[in-house]
Amino acid sequence: MSGCFRIRTYGCQMNVHDSDKVSNLLYHHRWREAPGEEEADLLVINTCSIREKAENQLYSDLGALRSWKHAAPARVLGVGGCVAQQEGDALLRRFPHLDFVFGTHNLTRVPAMVEAARGGGREARTEESRSLARFELPERHPDYPGPTPGRAFVTVMEGCDMFCSFCIVPRTRGREISRPAAGILAEVEDLAGRGVREITLLGQTVNAYGRHAARRERSANAGTLPFAALLWRLAGTPGIERIRYTSPHPLFFDDELIAAHGELAALCPHVHLPAQSGSDRILARMRRRYGAADFLRIAAALRRARPDIALTTDLIVGFPGETEADFRATLELVREVRFTDAFSFKYSPRPGTPATEDAAGAVPPECAQERLVELQTLQRELTLAAHRARVGSRTEVLLEGPSRRGATQLMGRDPYHRVVNLDAAEAGLEPSAGAGRLVAVEIVEATPHSLIGAPAWLRGDSPPEPSLKAFGG
Ligand code: 5AD
Ligand code: SF4
């Protein structure tokens, strides 16, 4: 064994998945996961720079980790992810106790960089690559348990060519690149063989999958398919019962993708569809390439295809130039779509992005804060109403593990991606043993953040159906 490692992960699901990929690579190089950071010989921080606060987290972590590093001379400390991509070498210069830095296209270099660090080397590798090689990763190591039994992320595309005026991602994740379908299908088959029942397809603009090759009529060479066709192919994989994808961009909802939501039973009735704003003026300044009416049209089409679909979103308040009327338009959009949930953020200027140049349009921080509170208050009401409407309904929950609500509770997600908690004993399961299982439940209570379920078959019914086919179509 080479030693024990831990990875601290910040940010989006892409980062969570990258940390998983790095863990697996390290297992292939005889590293094993440590029970905690105090026991670890290697610590990797996978960073996020989407907002200033996320980026600052790294600097405070690195300050605090000076004592971790110096407690044992052989310890190795590395930083990856979006801040690493942005800052590269500068991090090594600023933090002498940091051993290596790897960018978002350099995951496969980590084991070698760790070895070099053990020999006293210090390097930063942040080259951007346009090669498909980054999708060719080793299979899951037999000893690596993976993050969540029964569920897995699968990368289908990476990078972003949209260049929304507020967003750092095109600068930290590089250009859009789609993975050949054959590799995706093979990975999903392999996962299904290991008991995975739910896959989440990942990409910065996941439904733009294959679009560049399609536009140039080179899909066959690139090995890509239209996104909806990919979903259909994946749904044919025996054992895969749930398919999700995140995050799509409103611009790439074609008729086939919308229709798939009505026709593919395995495609979960939930779409996380970032709106960012409800004001056409602000959307134009954000360079989102759609207006509020386009967004509403997509939401309505998805609901026609799948009436019970749950829509969630991302919203930004206090974007430069946002007036009270613009903000009201966002509230209006939220009311009209009735999102089941929303992640809302105050605009945070990001280095090198065009929106930072609009200093004159800056919204005062107190005003942005007030808007955030008002928006979140509205969304809380809508979320609770959506939860209450579910009480008395039947659903199926893929268990993830113990719940935060207490030692005897299990948590999982229903097809709508809502958290459902249930009592382990009532479900006939050990709190530690249920992860990865699908259980049929009746929703018995709604809370602002989650649902509470009771096993449906304990309520005088037959045992659970193996899948949710009754909800399809
Ligand atoms: N400021 C605030 N929020 C941002 N997001 C992206 N960039 C910024 C920024 N500069 C939000 C968007 C995006 C989500 C992941 O983070 O809403 O969808
Ligand atoms: Fe950022 Fe826009 Fe790309 Fe999303 S689509 S990652 S918000 S640039």
Side-chain angles (χ1 to χ4, degrees):
M1 197 165 88
S2 295
C4 292
F5 72 94
R6 291 296 290 186
I7 305 186
R8 255 190 222 181
T9 307
Y10 295 105
C12 64
Q13 278 142 327
M14 192 66 94
N15 265 15
V16 172
H17 192 37
D18 281 351
S19 290
D20 180 39
K21 290 173 179 173
V22 170
S23 297
N24 190 44
L25 283 163
L26 288 169
Y27 264 78
H28 280 279
H29 286 79
R30 301 203 322 276
W31 286 85
R32 292 295 174 265
E33 207 158 2
E37 291 176 1
E38 274 319 304
E39 293 86 358
D41 311 303
L42 162 67
L43 179 60
V44 175
I45 311 181
N46 194 358
T47 60
C48 170
S49 61
I50 195 89
R51 284 168 292 276
E52 196 181 4
K53 212 167 132 195
E55 183 169 342
N56 287 341
Q57 180 74 44
L58 171 67
Y59 301 120
S60 76
D61 279 17
L62 282 177
L65 283 166
R66 218 169 264 124
S67 54
W68 178 88
K69 165 79 183 176
H70 294 309
R75 277 179 166 176
V76 175
L77 181 60
V79 168
C82 288
V83 184
Q85 186 66 40
Q86 245 171 264
E87 301 297 321
D89 264 350
L91 288 174
L92 291 180
R93 286 196 299 273
R94 185 167 158 196
F95 297 96
H97 61 296
L98 181 59
D99 296 296
F100 69 98
V101 174
F102 62 102
T104 53
H105 294 182
N106 298 272
L107 306 186
T108 54
R109 294 186 194 278
V110 170
M113 293 178 91
V114 175
E115 274 324 300
R118 289 189 138 186
R122 292 181 82 221
E123 54 171 351
R125 300 297 298 263
T126 54
E127 306 89 282
E128 274 203 37
S129 134
R130 294 196 170 210
S131 150
L132 291 168
R134 80 176 94 156
F135 296 120
E136 288 159 23
L137 293 165
E139 278 193 356
R140 188 169 286 275
H141 189 280
D143 297 341
Y144 177 48
T148 41
R151 301 163 63 220
F153 292 124
V154 178
T155 306
V156 303
M157 58 85 70
E158 275 185 9
C160 182
D161 288 354
M162 298 304 287
F163 288 93
C164 298
S165 65
F166 53 82
C167 185
I168 194 91
V169 167
R171 290 160 184 83
T172 59
R173 288 278 173 180
R175 300 286 59 74
E176 213 175 292
I177 180 168
S178 290
R179 179 179 179 189
I184 300 171
L185 292 163
E187 182 176 345
V188 171
E189 256 171 44
D190 175 64
L191 290 166
R194 294 162 193 254
V196 166
R197 334 228 358 214
E198 176 183 304
I199 53 166
T200 302
L201 306 184
L202 282 186
Q204 263 80 31
T205 51
V206 67
N207 57 337
Y209 174 75
R211 71 167 171 138
H212 287 329
R215 200 183 56 221
R216 295 184 203 118
E217 293 179 356
R218 288 215 300 257
S219 302
N221 284 347
T224 54
L225 296 165
F227 185 61
L230 178 69
L231 294 176
W232 277 95
R233 290 287 296 276
L234 292 171
T237 312
I240 296 300
E241 300 205 35
R242 288 180 172 190
I243 302 177
R244 306 181 186 279
Y245 57 90
T246 200
S247 283
H249 189 291
L251 206 62
F252 307 113
F253 269 89
D254 56 21
D255 293 347
E256 289 72 24
L257 177 53
I258 288 169
H261 277 279
E263 293 164 359
L264 263 179
L267 190 56
C268 286
H270 165 236
V271 178
H272 181 70
L273 188 52
Q276 313 298 2
S277 170
S279 153
D280 287 342
R281 218 175 57 83
I282 295 298
L283 286 168
R285 287 182 171 219
M286 287 177 162
R287 301 194 190 155
R288 288 291 290 178
R289 309 192 214 182
Y290 55 82
D294 304 310
F295 190 92
L296 292 172
R297 237 187 333 270
I298 296 162
L302 284 166
R303 288 226 162 95
R304 265 196 308 279
R306 182 76 201 240
D308 61 338
I309 202 160
L311 299 176
T312 57
T313 198
D314 290 342
L315 297 160
I316 296 176
V317 298
F319 186 79
E322 186 186 70
T323 62
E324 196 55 28
D326 294 319
F327 173 60
R328 298 283 140 209
T330 297
L331 294 175
E332 199 40 52
L333 181 92
V334 167
R335 273 194 210 96
E336 182 129 8
V337 180
R338 285 176 293 107
F339 293 110
T340 308
D341 214 339
F343 298 99
S344 40
F345 311 101
K346 277 184 281 189
Y347 167 71
S348 166
R350 302 287 58 222
T353 59
T356 58
E357 282 152 31
D358 188 359
V363 173
E366 323 76 67
C367 177
Q369 178 62 25
E370 274 172 29
R371 288 178 188 171
L372 186 70
V373 169
E374 187 171 352
L375 178 59
Q376 292 183 340
T377 305
L378 169 63
Q379 185 56 55
R380 250 195 308 278
E381 286 166 20
L382 293 172
T383 299
L384 188 57
H387 285 179
R388 287 194 172 137
R390 298 278 309 281
V391 173
S393 69
R394 299 282 170 84
T395 189
E396 204 173 44
V397 173
L398 183 60
L399 296 174
E400 290 179 21
S403 159
R404 276 189 250 165
R405 292 173 64 91
T408 62
Q409 300 278 305
L410 291 167
M411 75 73 71
R413 283 184 194 265
D414 68 8
Y416 309 94
H417 208 239
R418 297 282 85 198
V419 168
V420 181
N421 293 295
L422 69 161
D423 189 85
E426 230 183 274
L429 295 164
E430 286 292 315
S432 56
R437 291 184 56 170
L438 277 163
V439 292
V441 304
E442 181 175 324
I443 303 300
V444 292
E445 202 182 319
T447 78
H449 298 292
S450 60
L451 299 164
I452 297 177
W457 70 95
L458 289 183
R459 314 194 134 239
D461 295 316
S462 50
E465 291 287 319
S467 74
L468 245 202
K469 301 296 183 285
F471 276 79

